Structure formats: structure tokens, C-alpha cells
Amino acid sequence: TRAMAGTKPGQPGKPVRGDEEVEPLKILNLGDMAQIKRVLDETAVATVLDMGYDEKHVVSDLKIVLGLFAVGLACAAQFYPAPYPESREFLFTCVVGYVLLNLAFQYITTYVENGVVLFTKPNPGAKAAIVTKKGLAVKLVLKRFDDAATIFVMRSDCRKERHVDTVTQSVRIEEFIFDDGVVAEGKFREVVQALVTRFEKNEAGDAKNK
């Protein structure tokens, strides 16, 4: 058995899925909190999708569209055939449009997305009223230099950490990352699966990490 971060390592073995060995997830730099969060985010997303949920791409698609329009305005301003100052009004329009699009992009990132790493479509197969019509949203908060992360499973239409339907659990990072950088993917998946199950059963609130 491998030891967790901060303890003496043992001899690791590769995880097995089906009949095939797969390379375990690994953090290359244990001091890189951004990489740790990215790996945990991706694992949480994969876990929920493996439970039968489908990702809803509305928010990400909208951000892409806004970005494309912003790039289009920048290109139009750069290559507009009329010389300055004849092009002044056109350039002014492009600048204003570019600023407005960026403000809209920032609004979506800050207030709509707000750290959520996954929006799902409704999942009738879950046989749970809370996700049959609305779907769910998953968020993982890991502050810089913090040794604990908080996982939230929320309604996709009401993404509030303190909402009555939100389920949450705080976990210590060292319990899911070995000192050689390998991630205890299976153990982390179990935590996420348990949170989603609690959400489906409408068992809102905070669960203590065992």
C-alpha cells in the first residue's frame, strides 16, 4: 500500500480497469496547487459523467461565441480599409463592442459559472426528482496554500453554496495524493459518487470527511 503525502512511500502498483492496466493519475509538482485542482476537477467531472449524467455545454458554448465575436471585432478594427481619421467612428464602435463583449464574458465567468466545473443535463435515469428536471452542477474549491478542498454538488438552476438543496464535503488533499504524486483516484471518486447520491436523495448539508 502506498503511503500518503508527507509519509514514507511504499511500492505502488498500477490500477486495473477491466483487463487492462492503466497509468495512474500523477501530480508532477506537489507544490502546484493549480495542477492539483485541475486533476481533482477532471476526476470529479469524469466520475459524474460515468454515473450516467450528460454534460450541458450552454455556458461554455456561450463563452466561445462571445470570444469569437470579440476576436471578429478586433480583426475588423485592424483590417478596416479606410485610413484614420475616416475610420474613427468604426474603430470606436469596435472598441465599445469589444469592451462590452469582454464584460459579458467576465460576468458569465464570475456570476454564472462561478467556479463550477460541470453542468449536467436532466437525468431521468437517476429516478430522483431533484435531477430529473434540472440536472446538477459540480464545484470544487481549493484555495492557494490550503490543505483542504471543498466539493459542492448543487442544482444547476440555483448554484448557491448555502442553498437548502446543496450537498458539500470538505476533504484533506493529503488523503488523496501520495508522496510520489500519484492520485488515489478511486478513493476520490467514491467521495464524489457519495455526494451525488446524497444530492439525488435530497440529503442536503455538509458531510464530515471520514
Side-chain angles (χ1 to χ4, degrees):
T1 304
R2 271 197 300 276
M4 294 299 178
T7 60
K8 184 178 179 181
Q11 295 298 321
K14 294 182 179 180
V16 178
R17 292 180 184 170
D19 297 326
E20 298 181 358
E21 282 190 345
V22 295
E23 289 294 332
L25 291 175
K26 189 170 185 178
I27 306 294
L28 299 180
N29 180 4
L30 292 177
D32 187 347
M33 302 303 289
Q35 184 186 16
I36 292 174
K37 185 179 186 306
R38 183 170 61 253
V39 169
L40 295 181
D41 283 345
E42 292 173 353
T43 303
V45 169
T47 301
V48 176
L49 296 181
D50 287 346
M51 294 179 71
Y53 287 84
D54 292 322
E55 185 172 3
K56 183 164 60 176
H57 300 280
V58 174
V59 175
S60 57
D61 288 348
L62 181 56
K63 290 171 65 178
I64 291 172
V65 170
L66 291 175
L68 290 175
F69 273 112
V71 171
L73 286 176
C75 291
Q78 176 68 30
F79 299 107
Y80 190 67
Y84 190 83
E86 287 85 352
S87 61
R88 181 171 53 190
E89 292 184 0
F90 179 81
L91 294 178
F92 178 78
T93 301
C94 289
V95 170
V96 171
Y98 185 86
V99 170
L100 291 176
L101 288 171
N102 274 277
L103 288 174
F105 187 93
Q106 292 301 322
Y107 177 85
I108 292 172
T109 301
T110 304
Y111 297 104
V112 178
E113 203 170 45
N114 192 24
V116 171
V117 295
L118 175 68
F119 294 91
T120 76
K121 299 176 181 178
N123 184 15
K127 298 181 180 180
I130 198 168
V131 292
T132 298
K133 297 180 179 180
K134 298 296 183 180
L136 57 81
V138 179
K139 179 178 180 179
L140 188 146
V141 176
L142 176 60
K143 297 180 180 179
R144 191 177 184 184
F145 305 125
D146 202 345
D147 62 352
T150 305
I151 310 166
F152 298 90
V153 178
M154 307 171 284
R155 286 170 45 178
S156 63
D157 64 330
C158 190
R159 300 168 299 282
K160 296 181 179 179
E161 296 178 5
R162 298 183 181 275
H163 191 272
V164 64
D165 293 325
T166 297
V167 297
T168 178
Q169 182 168 348
S170 294
V171 296
R172 296 185 64 83
I173 297 301
E174 63 185 13
E175 297 182 10
F176 299 93
I177 302 176
F178 301 107
D179 57 1
D180 58 0
V182 173
V183 179
E185 181 182 0
K187 185 176 180 181
F188 187 73
R189 278 176 166 263
E190 289 175 0
V191 172
V192 177
Q193 289 170 351
L195 275 175
V196 173
T197 300
R198 284 180 50 219
F199 181 80
E200 292 174 345
K201 294 179 179 179
N202 204 18
E203 297 175 358
D206 185 15
K208 300 296 183 182
N209 185 34
K210 303 297 184 181

